[in-house]
Amino acid sequence: MISGGMPRGMGKSSTYLCRESLDSRIRVAEQMLGRFRAQGGYVKINPLERGERLPRRVSFDNIGAFQALVGELSKNIKHIESTLGVNISVKGNSVAIYGESPNDEIAERLLKQLYPLARDGYPIHLVDIDQGVRLLTGSPDAKIKDVLRETVFTSPGRKPITPKSLTQKLYVQAIATHDIVFGIGPAGTGKTYLAMAMAMAALSKKACRRIILARPAVEAGERLGFLPGDLYEKVNPYLRPLYDALHDMIELEKAGRLIERGDIEVAPLAFMRGRTLNDSFVILDEAQNTTPEQMKMFLTRLGYSSKAVITGDITQIDLPEGTKSGLVQAREILSDIEGIAIIMFTDQDVVRHPLVQRIIRAYEKAERNRESGSPIRS
C-alpha cells in the first residue's frame, strides 16, 4: 500500500535544501549556456518554446520531379527563401517551411502548385517562381498551372512564350477574342512582347497575311526627312526595340526573310496615313506618344479580317507640354465600345529584373508625393 505524505526522514528543512540545490543547478546551467552562446554556440530550441509557429511540412511522391522542383544546387529553394523571407529545410523527398504568416503559406502553396508542372516535365525557372509568388500574393486562389501552361507561341530552339501573370493571361485572351485591344501599364509588363507573340502565332497559322509593327518617332518629331541616310537608316533607331523583341522570338535569318518578303513590316506611325490594312495583325507600340489626331488616324486604318493591339505607358509621355496623349484620350472615350478591350497592367505584372518592379514603385510613390505636395522622402 502506498501512503501519502513525505518520505521518512524528509522534513521541511530537507525540502528547502532540495529546492536550494535545484535552484543552484539551474543557475549553473544558465551560466554555462550563456558562455556557450557568447562563444558562438547554437542551441536548438523547440519553436513552440519561443512562441513560434510550427513548420509547414510537405512531402512529394516522385523523387525525380521533386529534385527538378528543388533545382540544381537547390537554387529554386534558395530563391523562394530569399523572395519570401522563409527558411526551407529539405530532407529526402519532403520539405519543412519555417517563417511568418502569410509568407510560409505562400511558399507552401507555391511548392504544391509548381510540383505538378515539374512532374509533367515543365522546366522550373527562377522567373516562374517570381511570377508564382506574385500570382499567389495577389490572388491566393490563383492556379499557377493555368497561367504558365498557356503557350502563346513556340519557335524551334526557343523557350515557349507563356503569360506570367493573371493580367497577362487576360491580355492574351482579350487579343484572341477582340479586334482592338489596348494594353496600358508600366515598362516590363510584357505588353508589346505578348502582342508580338500573338501576332507571330497568327502568322504561322495563316490567320493573318502580314504583321505590321508601328511606333511614333516622337524624338524626331515625325520629320524624318531631315535625318541623314535612306528610309531604313532614318527610322531604324526608333524601331530597334521592336526588332529586338522579334529576334528574341525567331532566328535572325528567318526574321530577315519575313521582313524582306513583306510578311513583317516595321514602320513609323506617320507611314500609316492613307492606308487600309486588310488581313493584318497591327501593333502600335509607345502609343502614349501619339497625339489624339494620330491615334484616330491609326485606329481608322483597320480593314477587314484585321486585328490591332495598342500598347503604351501613360506615365512616360514624351509629347510637348500641353499636348494631350492620344492613348489617354482613347482610354477615356473608347472604353464602352463593344469589340474593344482595355487591359490595365500594374507593377505586379513586371517580368524584367526584380529591381525594375521596385524602381517603378519608387517612382510612382515619388509622383504621388509630388502631386500631394509631400516631400519625396517620407
Side-chain angles (χ1 to χ4, degrees), residues 254-290:
K254 183 177 181 180
R257 290 195 301 271
L258 291 172
I259 293 173
E260 187 177 346
R261 290 202 311 253
D263 294 336
I264 297 178
E265 177 185 345
V266 185
L269 176 60
F271 287 28
M272 299 294 105
R273 193 177 301 277
R275 302 176 64 180
T276 300
L277 307 175
N278 294 317
D279 298 311
S280 302
F281 196 119
V282 192
I283 300 172
L284 174 59
D285 188 33
E286 296 290 325
Q288 76 274 6
N289 289 325
T290 62

Side-chain angles (χ1 to χ4, degrees), residues 39-69:
Q39 295 172 2
Y42 171 74
V43 178
K44 189 171 182 179
I45 301 175
N46 189 313
L48 291 178
E49 295 178 4
R50 295 197 302 253
E52 296 181 5
R53 297 157 58 90
L54 283 172
R56 292 178 173 271
R57 300 184 185 277
V58 187
S59 297
F60 304 90
D61 54 8
N62 186 314
I63 189 64
F66 176 63
Q67 290 174 347
L69 175 62

Side-chain angles (χ1 to χ4, degrees), residues 94-162:
S94 64
V95 298
I97 305 168
Y98 300 83
E100 299 296 326
S101 178
N103 286 9
D104 60 339
E105 301 167 17
I106 294 173
E108 180 183 9
R109 291 200 304 271
L110 178 67
L111 289 170
K112 285 181 176 179
Q113 291 201 36
L114 289 178
Y115 172 69
L117 293 173
R119 189 177 55 203
D120 293 343
Y122 181 91
I124 306 298
H125 298 276
L126 298 185
V127 67
D128 298 322
I129 293 172
D130 290 335
Q131 296 309 314
V133 169
R134 289 170 190 165
L135 278 172
L136 296 175
T137 301
S139 178
D141 297 327
K143 304 298 181 185
I144 297 175
K145 185 175 182 178
D146 292 345
V147 176
L148 296 183
R149 292 304 296 267
E150 183 172 338
T151 301
V152 177
F153 177 68
T154 303
S155 181
R158 306 295 172 100
K159 183 184 175 185
I161 298 172
T162 64

